Amino acid sequence: IKRGIENFFFQAEDGIRDAQESRGLGDVYKRQGVIIPQDGYMRKVKDICAKYNVLLIADEIQSGLGRTGKMLACEYDGIKPDILLLGKALSGGFLPVSATLANDNVMLNIKPGEHGSTYGGNPLAMVVAKRAVEVLIEEKMIENSARLGQVMLDALKTFKYDFIKDVRGRGLFIALEMKEEAKNKITAWDFCIKLKERGLLAKPTHETTIRFTPPLNVTDSQLNESLDIIKKTLASI
C-alpha cells in the first residue's frame, strides 16, 4: 500500500509539473462514494503544487460548511487552498448561492472588465449566505456533525452482514458500501427505495454504495430512529 501511494504521488507530481497551471480536487470524493483521503494526502498535494507554483483549488461545495465535522474538510490536513469553492449549504436551503474564495494575490489577477457574472454579488444572496454561516456557528451545527457523525459511523460498523464491504465517513458524511456480488441480490438504488418506504431518505452512488448525509441539526433521537430503520432494512435483505 505504501509503495502504491508513493507511486501515485510521483505520477501526480509529474502531471502537475507538466501542466504548470491550476489543479482542482475534492477533500472527500463525493460521487465516488465518500472516499476519504489518507491522512496527509492533501498536505502532500499542497506541497507539490507549491513546489511547481501551481494553484490548488479545493472543491468543498459538498464537503464544506460543517458536513465533515469541521468548517472545511481540508482542515483535517491543516492546509489552506489557493482557491476555495463553496455552495449548497451556503444558501441555508433558501436560495441558490455559491462562492469562489481566494486571497488578493490570486483574485486581483482578474482586472476590471475581464470577468462578469449576471447574478454575481446579488445583495439578497449575500445576506442569506452570511446568515447561513453565522447560524452554523451559533447553533454549533459543526460540533453536532462531528459528534453525531461519529455515533452514526460507530453504530453502522456494528452491523455485521456478509454483503457489507465497508463503512466510512467523516462527520455527517457517511457511506455504506456493499460487496460487488451483492448487487445481484439488491442494488444501492433498491436499498434506498426500501429505506424510503420505512421513512428514511438516502442517496445511492453507483450500484453498491449508499450515502447518508443527515441534516447538520439532526438530534440524537432522530439519528437513533434512522439507525433503527437502516438496521431493519439490512436485516430484511
Side-chain angles (χ1 to χ4, degrees), residues 46-225:
K46 173 67 174 175
D47 290 344
I48 294 174
C49 286
K51 180 179 178 179
Y52 294 103
N53 194 31
V54 171
L55 297 178
L56 174 62
I57 305 171
D59 175 2
E60 296 250 19
I61 291 173
Q62 289 191 52
S63 61
L65 299 174
R67 175 51 58 188
T68 65
K70 290 185 181 293
M71 178 63 82
L72 300 172
C74 58
E75 292 178 28
Y76 279 96
D77 268 355
I79 71 156
K80 187 175 183 179
D82 299 296
I83 299 174
L84 176 68
L85 307 180
L86 294 175
K88 295 187 182 293
L90 187 61
S91 71
F94 181 67
L95 51 76
V97 181
S98 61
T100 301
L101 288 73
N103 290 331
D104 285 353
N105 62 332
V106 173
M107 198 65 78
L108 294 184
N109 280 286
I110 302 176
K111 303 296 188 252
E114 290 183 347
H115 178 70
S117 174
T118 303
Y119 296 108
N122 178 284
L124 176 60
M126 298 303 97
V127 172
V128 168
K130 178 175 180 294
R131 188 57 189 146
V133 174
E134 290 172 347
V135 169
L136 281 175
I137 297 170
E138 291 170 4
E139 298 188 8
K140 298 188 181 302
M141 292 188 194
I142 300 171
E143 292 86 344
N144 194 56
S145 175
R147 182 179 67 85
L148 290 185
Q150 192 62 52
V151 170
M152 186 174 191
L153 191 63
D154 291 343
L156 288 174
K157 287 182 177 180
T158 67
F159 299 163
K160 303 299 183 182
Y161 294 91
D162 58 8
F163 55 82
I164 294 179
K165 178 181 179 180
D166 189 28
V167 175
R168 55 184 177 268
R170 277 180 173 167
L172 288 170
F173 205 2
I174 295 173
L176 185 154
E177 183 178 358
M178 298 183 292
K179 294 177 181 177
E180 186 68 22
E181 57 268 24
K183 68 183 183 182
N184 295 323
K185 181 184 298 184
I186 185 170
T187 65
W189 173 269
D190 296 330
F191 189 84
C192 288
I193 294 298
K194 287 181 176 291
L195 289 174
K196 180 184 73 71
E197 291 170 351
R198 294 175 183 267
L200 181 67
L201 296 180
K203 184 182 186 304
T205 299
H206 303 297
E207 292 186 288
T208 57
T209 304
I210 300 96
R211 282 173 41 184
F212 300 103
T213 55
L216 301 189
N217 61 350
V218 66
T219 64
D220 290 73
S221 61
Q222 289 169 338
L223 187 69
N224 289 333
E225 183 181 358

Side-chain angles (χ1 to χ4, degrees), residues 22-40:
S22 62
R23 275 293 173 266
L25 76 163
D27 308 89
V28 177
Y29 294 94
K30 289 78 68 173
R31 295 184 183 279
Q32 283 70 35
V34 192
I35 305 299
I36 309 296
Q38 189 174 30
D39 290 345

